[in-house]
Amino acid sequence: MPHRDLSAVEADVRSWFDQYVSTFIGLAAAGRTDPAPLLDYFAVPITMTTDAAHMVLTSTDALTAGLANELQALRDAGYGGSTALDHQVRALNERSALVEVTWARNDTGGREFQRVRVLYLAARTVAGWRTTASAILSP
């Protein structure tokens, strides 16, 4: 089986993910808690894991509630923005890629209040690129 150059897939995923980042940070920094603009970046069902829990969100309503909770938590923390540190994209094949990034989250005064490393599995679906799974990595 010949080795394929997957750099075009990585560039495509990077562009898609950058749009997601811009949308998410824009909503959260504005204090908005309606996640509707984010829904097209995720597949349903989606699997999410942390050290504390494993969740499978099997409906758009469950995804909407989960994203709304995250946006509300950031609003409550006085969120002002995030910086994506050491952002890495690795194409696995023509239809999937891993995105790994450390988020440095800042409050409205510019002070960092949280760092979190996240691994996203993205898949090219009939609707375009979507996150199908995410994991918060242990520090």
Side-chain angles (χ1 to χ4, degrees):
M1 180 174 195
H3 175 65
R4 294 185 182 192
D5 179 7
L6 297 175
S7 59
V9 172
E10 290 173 354
D12 197 30
V13 170
R14 190 170 281 108
S15 175
W16 164 80
F17 192 76
D18 288 347
Q19 290 172 4
Y20 163 71
V21 168
S22 178
T23 301
F24 184 90
I25 291 173
L27 286 174
R32 294 185 49 202
T33 57
D34 177 7
L38 298 172
L39 295 178
D40 286 343
Y41 293 97
F42 296 91
V44 174
I46 183 169
T47 299
M48 299 177 165
T49 59
T50 68
D51 281 335
H54 169 250
M55 298 163 279
V56 179
L57 306 179
T58 59
S59 69
T60 301
D61 288 344
L63 175 61
T64 298
L67 290 170
N69 286 340
E70 183 175 0
L71 290 168
Q72 184 63 52
L74 291 173
R75 182 178 177 173
D76 294 346
Y79 180 82
S82 291
T83 303
L85 307 174
D86 59 12
H87 179 200
Q88 301 167 13
V89 176
R90 179 176 166 236
L92 303 175
N93 56 43
E94 294 286 337
R95 300 192 66 82
S96 65
L98 290 175
V99 179
E100 190 171 345
V101 62
T102 299
W103 295 109
R105 292 178 169 170
N106 302 310
D107 64 19
T108 54
R111 290 175 300 278
E112 185 177 310
F113 68 87
Q114 183 185 48
R115 248 182 218 216
V116 61
R117 186 132 182 98
V118 184
L119 179 68
Y120 303 88
L121 176 62
R124 186 189 330 246
T125 70
V126 294
W129 287 103
R130 299 291 187 267
T131 299
T132 60
S134 66
I136 306 297
L137 303 181
S138 293

